[in-house]
Amino acid sequence: MSKIASTSLAPCHHGDRWRVKLLQHHQQPQWQCHATTKSEKRSSSQPLMVKNQMAVKPATYSSRIATDIPLYESPGALFDQYLEDKPRVFNAMFPDNKQRSQRLNEDEWRIQMLPIQFIFLTVKPVIDMRLRCKTGGKDYPPEVPQDITKVLELDITRWELRDLENVIKPSQFSLSVKGALYSDRRGTRSRLKGQLEMNISFILPPVLALIPDDVRRNVAESVLTRLIEDMKQKVNGSLLQDYSKFKRESLNSVRHQTR
């Protein structure tokens, strides 16, 4: 790679907004053309030799989001208790994937994501998502304070790009997603906080390698921003709505037991 360019999209807001940071590191293909000159001796039957060589380097895209919004907890239905029900939390975070998801074990689900259009390619990702609860500050992600009582950690353990086997080889593509969600009670009121980081790296197939860098960058920003916005809506919307439902159910259960 002869030059590394970096583009950032980083509007930053406080309160109940999300912070988004998007970075792209892309490689400029290098071409070399060699031809015999008139002064060189060659047979008249031997054609002019032209050779091109393109340096194969991976393109990497990264995005990161963070949330910090008010969280109204009930003493008998803390957010920590809600996080213990991982199937419920998964369905709240991915409500549109109920027909396209499969539980693999206690902690993992396989999700067939909706097709993603990237210039000339249509990507159909299949991912294995793992949800794990951690407590007592043990093995917390670096961004999470050690005195937080409970953290829900999510990450991708396996991925597959269907219908692209002849375009991008698995060895030429990598995807990682890591996130955390927790209740922060260190202030006067509880706040729901979380982070999610996504990294994608792949060697550009011939169909994309010759597309201008700025075009690829704009398309990549658009695709990743849509994914970020979708995750934002799921956490700020369906997850909090389901937690409110969990609080009502817990309160009704307590009332029923005291009768």
Side-chain angles (χ1 to χ4, degrees), residues 27-155:
Q27 306 292 342
Q28 179 67 35
Q30 298 177 345
W31 293 87
Q32 295 179 348
C33 183
H34 304 282
T36 58
T37 64
K38 292 182 179 180
S39 61
E40 294 177 322
K41 293 182 178 180
R42 61 183 179 86
S43 171
S44 59
S45 61
Q46 186 178 21
L48 184 69
M49 297 178 60
V50 179
K51 178 174 65 174
N52 64 62
Q53 299 173 341
M54 186 172 64
V56 180
K57 301 291 183 177
T60 300
Y61 304 90
S62 300
S63 65
R64 179 182 174 83
I65 59 176
T67 187
D68 183 352
I69 57 179
L71 180 65
Y72 302 99
E73 294 186 282
S74 296
L78 295 175
F79 193 70
D80 289 5
Q81 297 171 270
Y82 174 71
L83 291 180
E84 287 291 343
D85 191 346
K86 285 178 287 187
R88 180 169 188 161
V89 173
F90 174 84
N91 289 328
M93 295 182 67
F94 304 97
D96 301 330
N97 295 323
K98 291 182 179 180
Q99 303 300 322
R100 292 178 282 105
S101 63
Q102 172 192 0
R103 190 173 185 181
L104 303 177
N105 52 52
E106 182 179 353
D107 299 328
E108 292 183 274
W109 286 261
R110 179 161 297 160
I111 306 172
Q112 297 184 24
M113 299 179 64
L114 293 174
I116 300 173
Q117 188 69 34
F118 186 80
I119 308 181
F120 304 125
L121 303 178
T122 299
V123 183
K124 297 179 180 179
V126 179
I127 62 174
D128 290 355
M129 178 71 72
R130 178 173 61 187
L131 304 183
R132 293 182 297 179
C133 285
K134 296 184 176 181
T135 59
K138 185 178 180 180
D139 298 327
Y140 279 10
E143 303 84 357
V144 180
Q146 294 296 300
D147 55 352
I148 297 298
T149 55
K150 181 167 292 185
V151 177
L152 179 70
E153 187 179 59
L154 61 151
D155 63 301

Side-chain angles (χ1 to χ4, degrees), residues 7-13 18-23 64 221 225:
T7 303
S8 64
L9 175 68
C12 182
H13 303 281
W18 289 64
R19 303 191 302 276
V20 180
K21 185 176 182 182
L22 174 64
L23 301 176
R64 179 182 174 83
E221 289 179 355
T225 299

